[in-house]
Amino acid sequence: MIRFENVHYRYPDSDHDSLCGVDLTIEEGSFVAVLGHNGSGKSTLAKHMNAILLPTEGRVLVDGMDTSDEAQLLPVRRTVGMVFQNPDNQIVANVVEEDVAFAPENLGVPPAEIRERVDNALKTVGMYEHRQHAPHLLSGGQKQRVAIAGVLAMQPRIIVLDEPTAMLDPQGRREVVATVTRLCREKGMTVVLITHHMEECIGADRLIVMSYGKIAADGTPGEVFSQVELMEQAGLDVPETTRICWDLNKAGFSLPLDSLDVETCAENLISAMH
């Protein structure tokens, strides 16, 4: 669905590339998490996925469409919906359902279909019962779910979330991650989640680690987090379960490092004791 071919990007007035020859393919229907420290290039990568930014060198293809082709700009942005850090910047109306209807109205969708899209989108993110509420009275997690519903009402095939939990408390973060996971698992959407919270990556099909504008690691979360030294070099931590097994292995144990959930880690520890 998305292909990066030797993509370089340099911001105006910068003396170095923020993306350095990135090659990447994202498959339809997959849940891909992109993890990296601040300045790693992960948000720059995200903004290339729906032509907010265009490559300085190389090209990005979205369902075969070159994002640098101006004639393809609207089709690209209808294919890839973006959700950003601050939901307040995406909410434009005084009533939740009117906010979700805003984008399809601008796309010229017939009123009856708008009604159906709005209801379906709000039900998908678990906010249908709040459809008559004022967005400013909602919690941060609820606002972000409304912002996601607004993108879903455009019926994109891909949803890219650029650090959508950065401004949320732990409960709001859990709500948003559960919502986007369900979009992929139940609706078959292609989901790209940009984050600097490692725990948000554990349920993804694939984890890409960005460091200094390059892909430092790419695999399942278990495979990537097992590379403890590489993660440390990228300025990132690993899940506590991986860290415990890593430390025990240095003391002479031989525990797998790809067991990210507590239950499996405990079972492995018990087996190792016998």
Side-chain angles (χ1 to χ4, degrees):
M1 283 298 290
I2 300 178
R3 182 186 298 274
F4 284 68
E5 297 178 351
N6 188 35
V7 172
H8 292 256
Y9 182 77
R10 180 172 296 191
Y11 285 97
D13 304 324
S14 174
D15 59 358
H16 66 278
D17 285 356
S18 292
L19 293 180
C20 309
V22 172
D23 289 299
L24 173 65
T25 301
I26 292 175
E27 304 295 333
E28 185 169 13
S30 60
F31 178 7
V32 179
V34 181
L35 182 65
H37 57 75
N38 289 338
S40 64
K42 62 186 187 300
S43 286
T44 304
L45 187 83
K47 290 181 174 73
H48 276 76
M49 293 182 183
N50 83 334
I52 292 174
L53 297 177
L54 301 176
T56 306
E57 182 183 329
R59 65 176 185 163
V60 178
L61 301 175
V62 172
D63 196 22
M65 297 177 286
D66 190 328
T67 59
S68 295
D69 180 354
E70 282 190 28
Q72 302 288 0
L73 183 59
L74 277 178
V76 164
R77 291 189 173 167
R78 284 177 176 168
T79 303
V80 183
M82 291 282 294
V83 177
F84 298 98
Q85 285 187 18
N86 190 343
D88 289 325
N89 291 344
Q90 287 190 266
I91 291 173
V92 296
N94 294 322
V95 179
V96 164
E97 63 180 8
E98 291 175 5
D99 186 79
V100 178
F102 181 78
E105 282 173 353
N106 283 345
L107 292 173
V109 177
E113 187 179 339
I114 290 174
R115 177 77 266 165
E116 185 178 351
R117 286 194 191 190
V118 168
D119 289 349
N120 288 341
L122 286 170
K123 288 173 183 175
T124 297
V125 301
M127 290 296 292
Y128 182 71
E129 67 273 21
H130 296 85
R131 63 192 180 279
Q132 300 287 347
H133 288 210
H136 71 273
L137 297 178
L138 301 175
S139 70
Q142 289 172 325
K143 286 180 183 177
Q144 195 61 286
R145 284 190 281 158
V146 171
I148 293 170
V151 172
L152 293 180
M154 296 167 65
Q155 297 188 341
R157 294 168 62 192
I158 306 162
I159 186 165
V160 177
L161 303 104
D162 186 9
E163 299 207 55
T165 66
M167 304 184 72
L168 304 182
D169 61 20
Q171 175 60 28
R173 281 165 46 191
R174 285 192 292 271
E175 290 173 6
V176 170
V177 172
T179 298
V180 298
T181 303
R182 195 166 63 248
L183 287 176
C184 181
R185 303 295 177 235
E186 297 178 10
K187 304 292 183 181
M189 287 192 75
T190 306
V191 173
V192 181
L193 174 65
I194 312 294
T195 184
H196 62 265
H197 295 295
M198 63 176 178
E199 66 273 14
E200 296 178 3
C201 305
I202 289 173
D205 301 317
R206 180 179 173 195
L207 173 56
I208 295 166
V209 175
M210 294 293 295
S211 183
Y212 300 106
K214 297 180 179 180
I215 294 175
D218 184 356
T220 67
E223 291 166 349
V224 171
F225 284 130
S226 295
Q227 302 174 65
V228 177
E229 290 172 336
L230 184 149
M231 295 296 286
E232 288 176 342
Q233 288 167 10
L236 299 167
D237 206 348
V238 296
E240 200 62 39
T241 50
T242 303
R243 175 66 62 186
I244 290 168
C245 292
W246 169 258
D247 289 340
L248 286 170
N249 286 351
K250 287 193 288 187
F253 284 81
S254 183
L255 295 162
L257 299 178
D258 60 354
S259 302
L260 303 181
D261 63 283
V262 173
E263 291 77 11
T264 307
C265 180
E267 289 169 7
N268 291 336
L269 284 169
I270 292 167
S271 298
M273 299 290 187
H274 289 73

